[in-house]
Amino acid sequence: MYQAEFEAKALEVLRSGWYVLGNEVKQFETEFANYVGAKHCVGLASGLDALWIAFRILGIGAGDEVIVQGNTYIASVMGITMNGATPVFVEPDEYFNIDASKIEEKITDKTKAILVVHLYGQASNMGPILDICKKHNLRLVEDCAQSHGAKFNGKTTGTFGDIGCFSFYPSKNLGAFGDAGAIVTNDDSIAEDVRVFRNYGSEKRYYNKVVGANSRLDEIQAGFLRVRLKHLDELALEKKQICERYLSELKNDKIELPKTREGATHIWHQFVLKTDYRDELIKYLDDKGIGTIIHYPIPPHLSEAYQYLGVKEGALPITEKYAKSVLSIPLYNGMTSEEQDYIIKTINAF
Ligand SMILES: *Cc1c(COP(=O)(O)O)cnc(C)c1O
């Protein structure tokens, strides 16, 4: 979609002779900050970089604990552990986001922050989360890799806490044509620190203030993101309309449809249903030519990578149940109404 605009932008950047941290990045940062309603946006190389750099800039590391939901994509957790900090897992609510009523029991004197993940595109229950952060003096970081533009009580995800982290991986709702990410913040000094950190800790060439990283956003990706951002609302509307059809027309006792919380908006990164008959449903749909994906089959605490945390199977029963029962059905821009009809009819006949 928008092929001609993307091709024109690619040529424009190629011919400009400027490929890293230039005008496209600057323009995109301004436009994306405006889109989410934040004071600053700083472009980075990926969503994972946004997460680990966020905790690094907040000074959260070894000996510190960060609260995060158990059923997230593993990158959320890596953003914490790359700094040497310890993730403390909380069970999700019925909307697949962190269950705010179960956060306080996990707070210790080592807890420094909450990482809220707006999973599958739906804004989390921010009211009680903000109260908890205030009461316990905790930092708030948001993982918005799946929630570009989703709102809670009219406020856009990414702007509730100290830092909002975004991924623009190609499959995300705002996707580039390669890896890209960003942080947004209303804090001038955090924005400045991230800006310096992403470029070897240097503000002025060959003068290095801190030990930083190379996490710069390419000009060509920023250019593509500017094109896509212009169309993001219409792309989001198209996905919403497909999901509204799914919600009203999918009828099968063997599946449970996703719910949207009152006050929250959902940008439908994924349409995730739950079923106790998952293996059979996957096979059945596959036989009919309908592909599905599990987001995510192994929760981070049970992955091989995180065995060292010592969180055993059974410790997070809701998270583990979701991992065994969630299934994402086809959802993408450009999906025809015949394709939607076929998917609905086929699932209803299961
Ligand atoms: C995609 C994703 C990330 C990581 O983003 P990358 O750009 O792939 O590094 C982090 N958190 C969540 C929830 C994601 O979906």
Side-chain angles (χ1 to χ4, degrees):
M1 286 168 114
Y2 318 113
Q3 187 78 13
E5 283 176 74
F6 285 122
E7 287 179 359
K9 182 57 81 175
L11 270 185
E12 184 190 332
V13 176
L14 284 175
R15 288 171 180 165
S16 75
W18 194 284
Y19 306 120
V20 174
L21 295 187
N23 188 50
E24 293 292 336
V25 170
K26 238 185 244 133
Q27 297 288 335
F28 172 70
E29 289 175 339
T30 304
E31 289 160 8
F32 193 64
N34 288 339
Y35 183 80
V36 301
K39 196 164 170 200
H40 305 281
C41 167
V42 183
L44 299 168
S46 74
L48 175 61
D49 278 10
L51 287 159
W52 76 262
I53 292 172
F55 290 110
R56 177 70 57 98
I57 295 303
L58 294 175
I60 293 169
D64 298 331
E65 293 177 356
V66 177
I67 285 175
V68 63
Q69 69 197 63
N71 63 324
T72 186
Y73 180 52
I74 201 156
S76 313
V77 182
M78 288 186 180
I80 298 167
T81 59
M82 281 173 80
N83 290 296
T86 304
V88 174
F89 299 108
V90 170
E91 293 272 51
D93 58 20
E94 60 183 315
Y95 306 95
F96 299 117
N97 283 326
I98 194 166
D99 186 339
S101 72
K102 293 180 180 159
I103 292 175
E104 276 192 296
E105 64 199 57
K106 296 290 181 90
I107 294 176
T108 71
D109 53 7
K110 293 182 183 154
T111 310
K112 290 290 173 348
I114 300 177
L115 174 60
V116 169
V117 186
H118 307 289
L119 202 68
Y120 307 144
Q122 178 170 193
S124 304
N125 189 13
M126 295 313 294
I129 295 170
L130 290 172
D131 291 344
I132 293 166
C133 287
K134 206 165 190 183
K135 182 170 158 202
H136 298 273
N137 195 24
L138 302 178
R139 298 288 208 161
L140 176 61
V141 178
E142 293 171 79
D143 182 339
C144 307
Q146 303 186 1
S147 75
H148 314 82
K151 294 181 170 65
F152 184 78
N153 286 343
K155 195 172 157 75
T156 308
T157 52
T159 63
F160 285 90
D162 297 285
I163 300 179
C165 302
F166 287 85
S167 165
F168 307 119
Y169 183 76
S171 67
K172 310 292 184 182
N173 281 38
L174 178 60
F177 290 75
D179 279 304
I183 64 109
V184 301
T185 182
N186 288 320
D187 185 310
D188 298 345
S189 91
I190 288 176
E192 186 51 32
D193 286 351
V194 175
R195 226 174 265 291
V196 169
F197 191 88
R198 74 171 169 189
N199 193 22
Y200 300 120
S202 124
E203 232 169 331
K204 213 168 88 195
R205 190 178 266 191
Y206 307 133
Y207 173 80
N208 302 77
K209 250 168 64 167
V210 293
V211 180
N214 173 356
S215 182
R216 299 174 299 218
L217 176 58
D218 288 352
E219 282 286 283
I220 197 155
Q221 298 303 344
F224 290 145
L225 288 166
R226 293 183 65 204
V227 171
R228 200 166 165 95
L229 182 60
K230 275 198 298 194
H231 299 292
L232 187 57
D233 287 340
E234 72 206 47
L235 290 165
L237 180 64
E238 184 190 358
K239 275 186 137 185
K240 182 163 176 261
Q241 284 163 345
I242 297 168
C243 292
E244 278 167 358
R245 276 204 69 188
Y246 279 165
L247 289 170
S248 70
E249 296 177 39
L250 282 174
K251 289 188 171 57
N252 188 316
D253 293 345
K254 297 192 190 71
I255 63 168
E256 194 184 318
L257 297 173
K259 296 187 258 300
T260 306
R261 181 190 297 279
E262 174 123 28
T265 65
H266 204 318
I267 59 146
W268 300 108
H269 175 58
Q270 302 293 348
F271 190 94
V272 180
L273 44 82
K274 283 192 292 204
T275 175
D276 291 333
Y277 306 89
R278 189 170 68 185
D279 291 345
E280 297 92 314
L281 182 57
I282 292 171
K283 166 123 203 349
Y284 165 83
L285 291 174
D286 190 52
D287 288 344
K288 309 263 180 202
I290 298 171
T292 54
I293 309 182
I294 300 168
H295 298 100
Y296 301 91
I298 302 172
H301 71 287
L302 298 182
S303 70
E304 196 181 337
Y306 284 121
Q307 286 316 291
Y308 76 89
L309 292 172
V311 184
K312 294 280 182 291
E313 183 152 16
L316 298 163
I318 301 171
T319 297
E320 293 166 21
K321 173 94 210 280
Y322 283 3
K324 293 194 176 95
S325 55
V326 294
L327 189 66
S328 307
I329 62 172
L331 172 64
Y332 49 86
N333 288 111
M335 194 174 188
T336 66
S337 63
E338 290 74 26
E339 286 169 326
Q340 296 165 38
D341 292 341
Y342 178 67
I343 289 162
I344 291 165
K345 193 179 77 184
T346 308
I347 293 176
N348 285 351
F350 170 63

